[in-house]
Structures are given as structure tokens and as C-alpha cells.
Amino acid sequence: MTRGLSLWLDVLRVAATLIVVFSHVAYARFTRGDYEFVRELNVGSDAVIVFFVISGLVIAFAAERDKTFGTYAFNRMTRLLSVLLPAILLTFVLDRMGRPIDVSAYPNSFYQHLPLWEMLVRGLTMSNEWGLFERVRLGTNGPLWSLSYEAAYYVLFGVAVFCTGARRLVLLAALGVVFGPRILLLMPAWLMGVVVWHYVKSGRAAQMTEGVARSLAWGGPLAYVLCQAFNVPDMLAQTTAEAFAPAHYRYILVFSDEFVWNGMIGLMTALHVIGMARLAQNYHGPHPHLRWWAGASFSIYVVHYPVLHLIDAAFPAETVSRDALLFFGSVAAGLVFAQVFERPIGAIRTTVRSIAARSHITGRRQSQPHPQATLLPETPAQQR
């Protein structure tokens, strides 16, 4: 993992996050349809697939660093839950604040009323999109659908890497049933990130000529633009619709309704990253501002949507100024949230380890008899 590659992944992460936010601001119910072209291109959903590829690459790298399943599981859980728990609580609070102001800002298709306990259970287990359970939307926080996918991929990858033999096969099969086919349909894009990491780690990316690297680095985005220009996503959607007819494929596949196109985006992104890994391998710029933004990308993603709904309820007059407030206000909320919950991940992990260590020591002490216990007869109280 060279510094240049790490920085470029941060560029992609920040860009994808801001694209997702703007794609949600572009909904006609927020901004009158003035930015409908963004919705028609569906770039927000496409940006999530870029996240998946980056995630696969980074998790494959992290698994090698973690070395054991226990460390791998601890790092993944603390990374997700330290941000997800406060995000769910914030969503619950903001939704309860906004609906009394203007209930029309919370239409049923974008809001599902759930009690706090259910939001926490389904949210913290990240099972809101798993196939074995009924789908739920966590209040207004629709973007949390992707964390169900991410968590499933973390688990499946961890089992594949750290388990062996029949146990690995049985666990993967059982987990595939629990997570369901919808989640598995988008996993190829995530696995492309894993492939990219192993390709880069092997040194083959570094051995490419600069011309080949530039072709890959520019070819991925150019292929995406050409596909959009020639309506490839729409053609693939039509083919998928015909394959599932007479049933409506979107009701069946939900967020995996463009799984073929999403696989193509994964491939384009993977080729782009391989090219950039070669081009940026000797780059050592510090770019602290980029690191700072990248360190808040997860937070912006998980809190911006409930903030958008609250702004929509509190400021009903649809103006260009409100458009700016929707975008910059939701991003700013994510930056503040990150400062409190996402950036201190190192301290959070240290605290959790310390608590666990103290609990383990206390448990061992309580389970061991007092040194004099074998020398003194038990009292009636002890016998009871």
C-alpha cells in the first residue's frame, strides 16, 4: 500500500461521498427537479459501487495486517459500530424533530416509522437488507442499506480467509442463505477490489509501462462515460426486466436491480485503480486536507439523509439558497459528527480493549478460590 495509492483511494472516497449527497439533494421533492439529470444518470448508486471496490481492496489489505480472525473481527466491528450506533440514534432524534414540523417532508416511500429498539437491533446487526429477514428502512436513513451489504461481505471474506476445510464451506453456504441472493449479486464488485489488492501487492502493477497504466487509469472513467452516453444502463435494465417478467424486477432485487451494470462499474473502477497504483507509486505528497476529508466520508454518508429531511421540513420554501443549505448543511453535519465519532477510532479501540482486559482479569479473579478458602470450613451462608 504505497502512499500514492492510499491518497488516490482517499480522492475516490471523498468524490464518491459528495456525489452520493448531491444525488440525494437532486431529488425533485427537495429541489423542484432542477437537477433531475443527476437522478436520471443514477450516479449516486454508481458511486456506492465505487465504495464497494475500494472497500474490498482495503479490507483485503487489512486482513493481512490483522493476521487473526479475532483481530479482524474486532477491527471491523469497532469501525462500523462506533459510527453506526450514534448515527442510528441521531436519525431517530432528527426524524422525531422533523415530522411534527412538516409531515409531508417524510413520505412513506422515504420514511419508515420504527421504534427505537427495532432501529437499534436491525441497524446494529446490519440486517436491514439481509434476505432471511424482512427488509426495513431505518427511519429516513435509506443509505444504510449499503452497510448490510458491506457487513455481509466482511463476514464472508473473513470466513473465507481465516477458516479452512469443511468448516469454511459449511459456514459460507449457511451465511449465503442468511444474507440472501440480493446481497450476493453485488459481491463481485466488492471482490474486484480484493483482486486489485492482490494484483498490486504481487508487484505486477508496478511492472506496467507508464503508457499501459495511463490507458487503464483513463480507460475506466472513459468507458463509464461512453456507457452512459449510449444508454447501456437502460438497455441492461430492460434486459433484466424482461428476464424477470411478469414480476417487477425492482420489487424483487431492490438495491441490486442493476447488478449487471454494477458489475461493469466494478470492473471499470478496478482497472482505473490498477492504473493509478502504477502512476502514483512514487508520489509522497502529504495532503493533510485530503486525509481530513477522507476521515469524515463515512460519517457524511451515514448522517446526511436524515439531515436533508430535517432541513426540508424546517425550510419549506424551495429556493436556490435552500439548495445550497441542503448540500452544505448535510455535509457540515457529517463533518461535525466525524469529529466526535469517526476520527477518534484509535482511542475508541484502546478503550474497548482496556475494558475487555479488565473484565477478563476480574472474571479470572472471581473464578479462582480465595487462597484461604481451602483452609477454612464453609459457613452456613457459603453453603447456601
Side-chain angles (χ1 to χ4, degrees), residues 352-363:
V352 172
R353 288 192 185 99
S354 177
I355 293 172
R358 287 200 298 269
S359 299
H360 178 66
I361 293 172
T362 302

Side-chain angles (χ1 to χ4, degrees), residues 235-251:
M235 290 189 289
L236 293 174
Q238 180 61 34
T239 302
T240 304
E242 293 171 357
F244 279 82
H248 197 300
Y249 76 105
R250 291 186 185 275
Y251 288 111

Side-chain angles (χ1 to χ4, degrees), residues 82-230:
S82 62
V83 172
L84 189 55
L85 172 58
I88 293 171
L89 294 175
L90 180 64
T91 299
F92 182 83
V93 171
L94 294 184
D95 289 352
R96 293 313 187 274
M97 290 172 57
R99 291 191 80 237
I101 297 174
D102 184 1
V103 72
S104 66
Y106 294 80
N108 291 335
S109 55
F110 292 93
Y111 169 75
Q112 183 173 353
H113 181 82
L114 295 175
L116 180 59
W117 71 265
E118 188 172 359
M119 286 186 67
L120 289 173
V121 170
R122 296 301 299 274
L124 295 182
T125 58
M126 287 160 277
S127 62
N128 43 307
E129 292 292 335
W130 291 0
L132 199 61
F133 307 100
E134 181 183 0
R135 292 183 59 247
V136 295
R137 187 185 186 94
L138 302 176
T140 56
N141 212 328
L144 294 186
W145 71 266
S146 67
L147 293 192
S148 277
Y149 285 63
E150 287 269 8
Y153 301 155
Y154 291 176
V155 174
L156 290 169
F157 183 74
V159 169
V161 170
F162 295 104
C163 296
T164 58
R167 176 183 296 180
R168 174 165 57 187
L169 295 176
V170 170
L171 285 175
L172 288 176
L175 290 169
V177 172
V178 172
F179 298 144
R182 289 196 306 268
I183 284 180
L184 298 180
L185 282 173
L186 297 193
M187 194 170 186
W190 194 90
L191 290 175
M192 288 177 197
V194 177
V195 173
V196 170
W197 167 244
H198 285 286
Y199 188 84
V200 171
K201 185 186 70 167
S202 71
R204 282 177 286 181
Q207 295 171 1
M208 287 191 303
T209 65
E210 186 170 333
V212 172
R214 289 186 183 279
S215 297
L216 294 176
W218 286 100
L222 179 60
Y224 176 81
V225 172
L226 290 174
C227 285
Q228 289 282 18
F230 288 97

